[in-house]
PDB file of all heavy atoms in Angstrom:
ATOM      1  N   ARG A  62      -3.453  16.325 -16.851  1.00  0.00           N
ATOM      2  CA  ARG A  62      -2.351  16.302 -17.818  1.00  0.00           C
ATOM      3  C   ARG A  62      -1.022  16.668 -17.180  1.00  0.00           C
ATOM      4  O   ARG A  62       0.035  16.252 -17.661  1.00  0.00           O
ATOM      5  CB  ARG A  62      -2.665  17.227 -19.002  1.00  0.00           C
ATOM      6  CG  ARG A  62      -3.796  16.701 -19.884  1.00  0.00           C
ATOM      7  CD  ARG A  62      -4.284  17.753 -20.868  1.00  0.00           C
ATOM      8  NE  ARG A  62      -3.218  18.186 -21.764  1.00  0.00           N
ATOM      9  CZ  ARG A  62      -2.904  17.562 -22.896  1.00  0.00           C
ATOM     10  NH1 ARG A  62      -3.599  16.524 -23.299  1.00  0.00           N
ATOM     11  NH2 ARG A  62      -1.922  17.993 -23.653  1.00  0.00           N
ATOM     12  N   GLU A  93      14.799  13.335 -21.900  1.00  0.00           N
ATOM     13  CA  GLU A  93      13.603  12.716 -22.473  1.00  0.00           C
ATOM     14  C   GLU A  93      13.403  11.272 -22.025  1.00  0.00           C
ATOM     15  O   GLU A  93      12.300  10.867 -21.652  1.00  0.00           O
ATOM     16  CB  GLU A  93      13.698  12.779 -24.001  1.00  0.00           C
ATOM     17  CG  GLU A  93      12.380  12.445 -24.652  1.00  0.00           C
ATOM     18  CD  GLU A  93      12.524  12.046 -26.110  1.00  0.00           C
ATOM     19  OE1 GLU A  93      13.668  11.857 -26.580  1.00  0.00           O
ATOM     20  OE2 GLU A  93      11.485  11.903 -26.754  1.00  0.00           O
ATOM     21  N   ALA A  97      10.131   9.743 -20.201  1.00  0.00           N
ATOM     22  CA  ALA A  97       9.365   8.724 -20.925  1.00  0.00           C
ATOM     23  C   ALA A  97       9.167   7.491 -20.037  1.00  0.00           C
ATOM     24  O   ALA A  97       8.083   6.902 -20.005  1.00  0.00           O
ATOM     25  CB  ALA A  97      10.076   8.350 -22.230  1.00  0.00           C
ATOM     26  N   ARG A 100       6.521   8.234 -17.545  1.00  0.00           N
ATOM     27  CA  ARG A 100       5.193   8.274 -18.165  1.00  0.00           C
ATOM     28  C   ARG A 100       4.665   6.868 -18.420  1.00  0.00           C
ATOM     29  O   ARG A 100       3.469   6.622 -18.342  1.00  0.00           O
ATOM     30  CB  ARG A 100       5.272   9.009 -19.505  1.00  0.00           C
ATOM     31  CG  ARG A 100       5.282  10.502 -19.373  1.00  0.00           C
ATOM     32  CD  ARG A 100       4.812  11.094 -20.686  1.00  0.00           C
ATOM     33  NE  ARG A 100       4.918  12.535 -20.662  1.00  0.00           N
ATOM     34  CZ  ARG A 100       5.768  13.226 -21.414  1.00  0.00           C
ATOM     35  NH1 ARG A 100       6.569  12.612 -22.255  1.00  0.00           N
ATOM     36  NH2 ARG A 100       5.800  14.527 -21.328  1.00  0.00           N
ATOM     37  N   ILE A 103       2.436   5.618 -15.833  1.00  0.00           N
ATOM     38  CA  ILE A 103       1.186   6.347 -15.587  1.00  0.00           C
ATOM     39  C   ILE A 103       0.323   6.234 -16.833  1.00  0.00           C
ATOM     40  O   ILE A 103       0.642   6.806 -17.866  1.00  0.00           O
ATOM     41  CB  ILE A 103       1.470   7.840 -15.307  1.00  0.00           C
ATOM     42  CG1 ILE A 103       2.496   7.993 -14.181  1.00  0.00           C
ATOM     43  CG2 ILE A 103       0.172   8.581 -14.988  1.00  0.00           C
ATOM     44  CD1 ILE A 103       2.981   9.430 -14.005  1.00  0.00           C
ATOM     45  N   ASN A 111      -7.665   8.846 -29.335  1.00  0.00           N
ATOM     46  CA  ASN A 111      -6.309   8.986 -29.875  1.00  0.00           C
ATOM     47  C   ASN A 111      -5.640   7.657 -30.187  1.00  0.00           C
ATOM     48  O   ASN A 111      -4.462   7.470 -29.904  1.00  0.00           O
ATOM     49  CB  ASN A 111      -5.423   9.789 -28.914  1.00  0.00           C
ATOM     50  CG  ASN A 111      -5.926  11.199 -28.724  1.00  0.00           C
ATOM     51  OD1 ASN A 111      -6.838  11.628 -29.422  1.00  0.00           O
ATOM     52  ND2 ASN A 111      -5.353  11.914 -27.792  1.00  0.00           N
ATOM     53  N   LEU A 112      -6.384   6.751 -30.795  1.00  0.00           N
ATOM     54  CA  LEU A 112      -5.752   5.498 -31.222  1.00  0.00           C
ATOM     55  C   LEU A 112      -4.870   5.764 -32.439  1.00  0.00           C
ATOM     56  O   LEU A 112      -5.096   6.717 -33.177  1.00  0.00           O
ATOM     57  CB  LEU A 112      -6.824   4.453 -31.574  1.00  0.00           C
ATOM     58  CG  LEU A 112      -7.659   3.945 -30.405  1.00  0.00           C
ATOM     59  CD1 LEU A 112      -8.629   2.872 -30.883  1.00  0.00           C
ATOM     60  CD2 LEU A 112      -6.766   3.396 -29.296  1.00  0.00           C
ATOM     61  N   PHE A 113      -3.874   4.896 -32.631  1.00  0.00           N
ATOM     62  CA  PHE A 113      -3.008   5.020 -33.793  1.00  0.00           C
ATOM     63  C   PHE A 113      -3.760   4.477 -34.998  1.00  0.00           C
ATOM     64  O   PHE A 113      -4.044   3.286 -35.095  1.00  0.00           O
ATOM     65  CB  PHE A 113      -1.700   4.263 -33.552  1.00  0.00           C
ATOM     66  CG  PHE A 113      -1.055   4.634 -32.245  1.00  0.00           C
ATOM     67  CD1 PHE A 113      -0.624   3.669 -31.352  1.00  0.00           C
ATOM     68  CD2 PHE A 113      -0.908   5.971 -31.883  1.00  0.00           C
ATOM     69  CE1 PHE A 113      -0.041   4.014 -30.135  1.00  0.00           C
ATOM     70  CE2 PHE A 113      -0.335   6.330 -30.673  1.00  0.00           C
ATOM     71  CZ  PHE A 113       0.095   5.353 -29.794  1.00  0.00           C
ATOM     72  N   ALA A 114      -4.073   5.383 -35.940  1.00  0.00           N
ATOM     73  CA  ALA A 114      -5.025   5.059 -36.998  1.00  0.00           C
ATOM     74  C   ALA A 114      -4.526   3.968 -37.938  1.00  0.00           C
ATOM     75  O   ALA A 114      -5.325   3.274 -38.557  1.00  0.00           O
ATOM     76  CB  ALA A 114      -5.353   6.322 -37.794  1.00  0.00           C
ATOM     77  N   HIS A 115      -3.218   3.803 -38.056  1.00  0.00           N
ATOM     78  CA  HIS A 115      -2.688   2.868 -39.041  1.00  0.00           C
ATOM     79  C   HIS A 115      -2.499   1.467 -38.466  1.00  0.00           C
ATOM     80  O   HIS A 115      -2.092   0.556 -39.177  1.00  0.00           O
ATOM     81  CB  HIS A 115      -1.365   3.379 -39.606  1.00  0.00           C
ATOM     82  CG  HIS A 115      -0.286   3.534 -38.564  1.00  0.00           C
ATOM     83  ND1 HIS A 115      -0.492   4.220 -37.384  1.00  0.00           N
ATOM     84  CD2 HIS A 115       0.985   3.094 -38.523  1.00  0.00           C
ATOM     85  CE1 HIS A 115       0.624   4.198 -36.680  1.00  0.00           C
ATOM     86  NE2 HIS A 115       1.538   3.517 -37.340  1.00  0.00           N
ATOM     87  N   ARG A 128       7.782  -1.527 -27.960  1.00  0.00           N
ATOM     88  CA  ARG A 128       8.773  -0.467 -28.164  1.00  0.00           C
ATOM     89  C   ARG A 128       9.305   0.119 -26.863  1.00  0.00           C
ATOM     90  O   ARG A 128      10.436   0.577 -26.810  1.00  0.00           O
ATOM     91  CB  ARG A 128       8.173   0.673 -29.006  1.00  0.00           C
ATOM     92  CG  ARG A 128       7.756   0.259 -30.406  1.00  0.00           C
ATOM     93  CD  ARG A 128       8.940  -0.089 -31.263  1.00  0.00           C
ATOM     94  NE  ARG A 128       8.515  -0.860 -32.427  1.00  0.00           N
ATOM     95  CZ  ARG A 128       9.352  -1.547 -33.201  1.00  0.00           C
ATOM     96  NH1 ARG A 128      10.648  -1.545 -32.945  1.00  0.00           N
ATOM     97  NH2 ARG A 128       8.894  -2.221 -34.225  1.00  0.00           N
ATOM     98  N   SER A 159     -10.798   2.817 -37.399  1.00  0.00           N
ATOM     99  CA  SER A 159     -11.920   3.317 -38.199  1.00  0.00           C
ATOM    100  C   SER A 159     -13.029   2.282 -38.341  1.00  0.00           C
ATOM    101  O   SER A 159     -14.138   2.616 -38.740  1.00  0.00           O
ATOM    102  CB  SER A 159     -11.423   3.732 -39.589  1.00  0.00           C
ATOM    103  OG  SER A 159     -10.839   2.616 -40.239  1.00  0.00           O
ATOM    104  N   ARG A 173      -4.692  -0.325 -24.170  1.00  0.00           N
ATOM    105  CA  ARG A 173      -3.360   0.188 -24.497  1.00  0.00           C
ATOM    106  C   ARG A 173      -2.660   0.701 -23.243  1.00  0.00           C
ATOM    107  O   ARG A 173      -1.469   0.466 -23.034  1.00  0.00           O
ATOM    108  CB  ARG A 173      -3.483   1.311 -25.533  1.00  0.00           C
ATOM    109  CG  ARG A 173      -2.176   2.018 -25.831  1.00  0.00           C
ATOM    110  CD  ARG A 173      -2.312   3.006 -26.964  1.00  0.00           C
ATOM    111  NE  ARG A 173      -3.170   4.135 -26.624  1.00  0.00           N
ATOM    112  CZ  ARG A 173      -3.552   5.083 -27.484  1.00  0.00           C
ATOM    113  NH1 ARG A 173      -3.150   5.009 -28.740  1.00  0.00           N
ATOM    114  NH2 ARG A 173      -4.338   6.064 -27.112  1.00  0.00           N
ATOM    115  N   MET A 177       0.745  -1.515 -20.413  1.00  0.00           N
ATOM    116  CA  MET A 177       2.009  -1.025 -19.849  1.00  0.00           C
ATOM    117  C   MET A 177       2.130  -1.408 -18.378  1.00  0.00           C
ATOM    118  O   MET A 177       3.114  -1.087 -17.732  1.00  0.00           O
ATOM    119  CB  MET A 177       2.117   0.493 -20.010  1.00  0.00           C
ATOM    120  CG  MET A 177       2.054   0.996 -21.446  1.00  0.00           C
ATOM    121  SD  MET A 177       3.324   0.260 -22.482  1.00  0.00           S
ATOM    122  CE  MET A 177       4.791   1.009 -21.785  1.00  0.00           C
TER     123      MET A 177
ATOM    124  N   GLY B 128      -3.184  14.430 -31.173  1.00  0.00           N
ATOM    125  CA  GLY B 128      -3.584  13.496 -30.120  1.00  0.00           C
ATOM    126  C   GLY B 128      -2.835  12.177 -30.165  1.00  0.00           C
ATOM    127  O   GLY B 128      -2.534  11.593 -29.131  1.00  0.00           O
ATOM    128  N   GLN B 129      -2.533  11.694 -31.374  1.00  0.00           N
ATOM    129  CA  GLN B 129      -1.831  10.410 -31.476  1.00  0.00           C
ATOM    130  C   GLN B 129      -0.423  10.515 -30.914  1.00  0.00           C
ATOM    131  O   GLN B 129       0.073   9.583 -30.279  1.00  0.00           O
ATOM    132  CB  GLN B 129      -1.796   9.946 -32.924  1.00  0.00           C
ATOM    133  CG  GLN B 129      -3.163   9.548 -33.441  1.00  0.00           C
ATOM    134  CD  GLN B 129      -3.061   8.853 -34.777  1.00  0.00           C
ATOM    135  OE1 GLN B 129      -2.168   8.070 -35.014  1.00  0.00           O
ATOM    136  NE2 GLN B 129      -4.002   9.152 -35.663  1.00  0.00           N
ATOM    137  N   GLU B 131       0.467  12.559 -28.584  1.00  0.00           N
ATOM    138  CA  GLU B 131       0.298  12.647 -27.126  1.00  0.00           C
ATOM    139  C   GLU B 131       0.051  11.274 -26.524  1.00  0.00           C
ATOM    140  O   GLU B 131       0.607  10.932 -25.482  1.00  0.00           O
ATOM    141  CB  GLU B 131      -0.892  13.552 -26.784  1.00  0.00           C
ATOM    142  CG  GLU B 131      -0.548  15.006 -26.828  1.00  0.00           C
ATOM    143  CD  GLU B 131      -1.617  15.842 -26.155  1.00  0.00           C
ATOM    144  OE1 GLU B 131      -2.753  15.364 -25.993  1.00  0.00           O
ATOM    145  OE2 GLU B 131      -1.285  16.981 -25.790  1.00  0.00           O
ATOM    146  N   ALA B 132      -0.795  10.491 -27.189  1.00  0.00           N
ATOM    147  CA  ALA B 132      -1.081   9.153 -26.684  1.00  0.00           C
ATOM    148  C   ALA B 132       0.202   8.329 -26.653  1.00  0.00           C
ATOM    149  O   ALA B 132       0.461   7.581 -25.708  1.00  0.00           O
ATOM    150  CB  ALA B 132      -2.138   8.469 -27.556  1.00  0.00           C
ATOM    151  N   ARG B 134       3.215   9.480 -26.369  1.00  0.00           N
ATOM    152  CA  ARG B 134       4.043   9.963 -25.255  1.00  0.00           C
ATOM    153  C   ARG B 134       3.534   9.413 -23.933  1.00  0.00           C
ATOM    154  O   ARG B 134       4.305   9.075 -23.045  1.00  0.00           O
ATOM    155  CB  ARG B 134       4.018  11.494 -25.205  1.00  0.00           C
ATOM    156  CG  ARG B 134       5.178  12.121 -25.949  1.00  0.00           C
ATOM    157  CD  ARG B 134       5.304  13.575 -25.582  1.00  0.00           C
ATOM    158  NE  ARG B 134       4.247  14.362 -26.194  1.00  0.00           N
ATOM    159  CZ  ARG B 134       3.839  15.526 -25.759  1.00  0.00           C
ATOM    160  NH1 ARG B 134       4.376  16.065 -24.677  1.00  0.00           N
ATOM    161  NH2 ARG B 134       2.884  16.180 -26.386  1.00  0.00           N
ATOM    162  N   SER B 135       2.196   9.292 -23.814  1.00  0.00           N
ATOM    163  CA  SER B 135       1.632   8.859 -22.534  1.00  0.00           C
ATOM    164  C   SER B 135       1.968   7.407 -22.226  1.00  0.00           C
ATOM    165  O   SER B 135       1.918   6.998 -21.071  1.00  0.00           O
ATOM    166  CB  SER B 135       0.115   9.069 -22.514  1.00  0.00           C
ATOM    167  OG  SER B 135      -0.535   8.010 -23.182  1.00  0.00           O
ATOM    168  N   ILE B 136       2.294   6.598 -23.246  1.00  0.00           N
ATOM    169  CA  ILE B 136       2.715   5.226 -22.931  1.00  0.00           C
ATOM    170  C   ILE B 136       4.239   5.137 -22.878  1.00  0.00           C
ATOM    171  O   ILE B 136       4.791   4.047 -22.815  1.00  0.00           O
ATOM    172  CB  ILE B 136       2.141   4.172 -23.906  1.00  0.00           C
ATOM    173  CG1 ILE B 136       2.496   4.501 -25.354  1.00  0.00           C
ATOM    174  CG2 ILE B 136       0.643   4.017 -23.734  1.00  0.00           C
ATOM    175  CD1 ILE B 136       2.133   3.371 -26.317  1.00  0.00           C
ATOM    176  N   GLY B 137       4.909   6.273 -22.920  1.00  0.00           N
ATOM    177  CA  GLY B 137       6.352   6.272 -22.692  1.00  0.00           C
ATOM    178  C   GLY B 137       7.198   6.189 -23.949  1.00  0.00           C
ATOM    179  O   GLY B 137       8.398   5.948 -23.876  1.00  0.00           O
ATOM    180  N   ARG B 139       9.379   7.586 -27.037  1.00  0.00           N
ATOM    181  CA  ARG B 139      10.229   8.765 -27.175  1.00  0.00           C
ATOM    182  C   ARG B 139      10.028   9.401 -28.540  1.00  0.00           C
ATOM    183  O   ARG B 139       9.457   8.796 -29.446  1.00  0.00           O
ATOM    184  CB  ARG B 139      11.692   8.372 -26.958  1.00  0.00           C
ATOM    185  CG  ARG B 139      11.945   7.897 -25.539  1.00  0.00           C
ATOM    186  CD  ARG B 139      13.416   7.998 -25.213  1.00  0.00           C
ATOM    187  NE  ARG B 139      14.197   7.235 -26.172  1.00  0.00           N
ATOM    188  CZ  ARG B 139      14.596   5.987 -25.960  1.00  0.00           C
ATOM    189  NH1 ARG B 139      14.288   5.384 -24.834  1.00  0.00           N
ATOM    190  NH2 ARG B 139      15.305   5.356 -26.870  1.00  0.00           N
ATOM    191  N   HIS B 140      10.519  10.656 -28.651  1.00  0.00           N
ATOM    192  CA  HIS B 140      10.294  11.457 -29.848  1.00  0.00           C
ATOM    193  C   HIS B 140      10.589  10.674 -31.134  1.00  0.00           C
ATOM    194  O   HIS B 140       9.761  10.605 -32.041  1.00  0.00           O
ATOM    195  CB  HIS B 140      11.159  12.712 -29.774  1.00  0.00           C
ATOM    196  CG  HIS B 140      10.955  13.658 -30.909  1.00  0.00           C
ATOM    197  ND1 HIS B 140       9.836  14.453 -31.017  1.00  0.00           N
ATOM    198  CD2 HIS B 140      11.706  13.914 -32.014  1.00  0.00           C
ATOM    199  CE1 HIS B 140       9.923  15.167 -32.126  1.00  0.00           C
ATOM    200  NE2 HIS B 140      11.052  14.859 -32.747  1.00  0.00           N
ATOM    201  N   GLN B 142      10.853   7.463 -31.640  1.00  0.00           N
ATOM    202  CA  GLN B 142       9.949   6.316 -31.814  1.00  0.00           C
ATOM    203  C   GLN B 142       8.600   6.774 -32.332  1.00  0.00           C
ATOM    204  O   GLN B 142       7.996   6.129 -33.196  1.00  0.00           O
ATOM    205  CB  GLN B 142       9.752   5.602 -30.479  1.00  0.00           C
ATOM    206  CG  GLN B 142      10.995   4.909 -29.961  1.00  0.00           C
ATOM    207  CD  GLN B 142      10.740   4.252 -28.612  1.00  0.00           C
ATOM    208  OE1 GLN B 142      10.164   4.864 -27.717  1.00  0.00           O
ATOM    209  NE2 GLN B 142      11.173   3.008 -28.462  1.00  0.00           N
ATOM    210  N   HIS B 146       7.382   5.283 -35.780  1.00  0.00           N
ATOM    211  CA  HIS B 146       6.372   4.233 -35.680  1.00  0.00           C
ATOM    212  C   HIS B 146       4.947   4.752 -35.784  1.00  0.00           C
ATOM    213  O   HIS B 146       4.043   4.011 -36.121  1.00  0.00           O
ATOM    214  CB  HIS B 146       6.530   3.464 -34.360  1.00  0.00           C
ATOM    215  CG  HIS B 146       7.835   2.727 -34.280  1.00  0.00           C
ATOM    216  ND1 HIS B 146       8.149   1.698 -35.131  1.00  0.00           N
ATOM    217  CD2 HIS B 146       8.903   2.898 -33.468  1.00  0.00           C
ATOM    218  CE1 HIS B 146       9.362   1.262 -34.841  1.00  0.00           C
ATOM    219  NE2 HIS B 146       9.844   1.968 -33.847  1.00  0.00           N
ATOM    220  N   GLN B 151       1.944   7.111 -41.147  1.00  0.00           N
ATOM    221  CA  GLN B 151       0.635   7.678 -41.490  1.00  0.00           C
ATOM    222  C   GLN B 151       0.732   8.848 -42.436  1.00  0.00           C
ATOM    223  O   GLN B 151      -0.238   9.195 -43.106  1.00  0.00           O
ATOM    224  CB  GLN B 151      -0.087   8.130 -40.212  1.00  0.00           C
ATOM    225  CG  GLN B 151      -0.520   6.968 -39.361  1.00  0.00           C
ATOM    226  CD  GLN B 151      -1.369   7.441 -38.207  1.00  0.00           C
ATOM    227  OE1 GLN B 151      -2.449   7.980 -38.382  1.00  0.00           O
ATOM    228  NE2 GLN B 151      -0.864   7.248 -37.011  1.00  0.00           N
ATOM    229  N   TRP B 228      -6.834   3.807 -44.289  1.00  0.00           N
ATOM    230  CA  TRP B 228      -7.251   3.390 -42.946  1.00  0.00           C
ATOM    231  C   TRP B 228      -8.703   3.738 -42.684  1.00  0.00           C
ATOM    232  O   TRP B 228      -9.142   4.793 -43.037  1.00  0.00           O
ATOM    233  CB  TRP B 228      -6.354   4.040 -41.886  1.00  0.00           C
ATOM    234  CG  TRP B 228      -4.952   3.596 -42.053  1.00  0.00           C
ATOM    235  CD1 TRP B 228      -4.491   2.331 -41.893  1.00  0.00           C
ATOM    236  CD2 TRP B 228      -3.839   4.376 -42.464  1.00  0.00           C
ATOM    237  NE1 TRP B 228      -3.159   2.284 -42.175  1.00  0.00           N
ATOM    238  CE2 TRP B 228      -2.736   3.511 -42.512  1.00  0.00           C
ATOM    239  CE3 TRP B 228      -3.673   5.710 -42.791  1.00  0.00           C
ATOM    240  CZ2 TRP B 228      -1.479   3.950 -42.890  1.00  0.00           C
ATOM    241  CZ3 TRP B 228      -2.428   6.148 -43.165  1.00  0.00           C
ATOM    242  CH2 TRP B 228      -1.346   5.282 -43.213  1.00  0.00           C
TER     243      TRP B 228
END
Side-chain angles (χ1 to χ4, degrees):
Chain A
R62 291 168 60 86
E93 193 199 9
R100 280 202 185 113
I103 307 171
N111 297 351
L112 293 183
F113 309 131
H115 61 309
R128 298 292 162 195
S159 60
R173 174 174 67 186
M177 301 303 291
Chain B
Q129 291 191 39
E131 279 194 340
R134 266 194 287 158
S135 81
I136 56 171
R139 295 200 303 265
H140 184 74
Q142 292 178 313
H146 296 296
Q151 290 187 64
W228 298 295

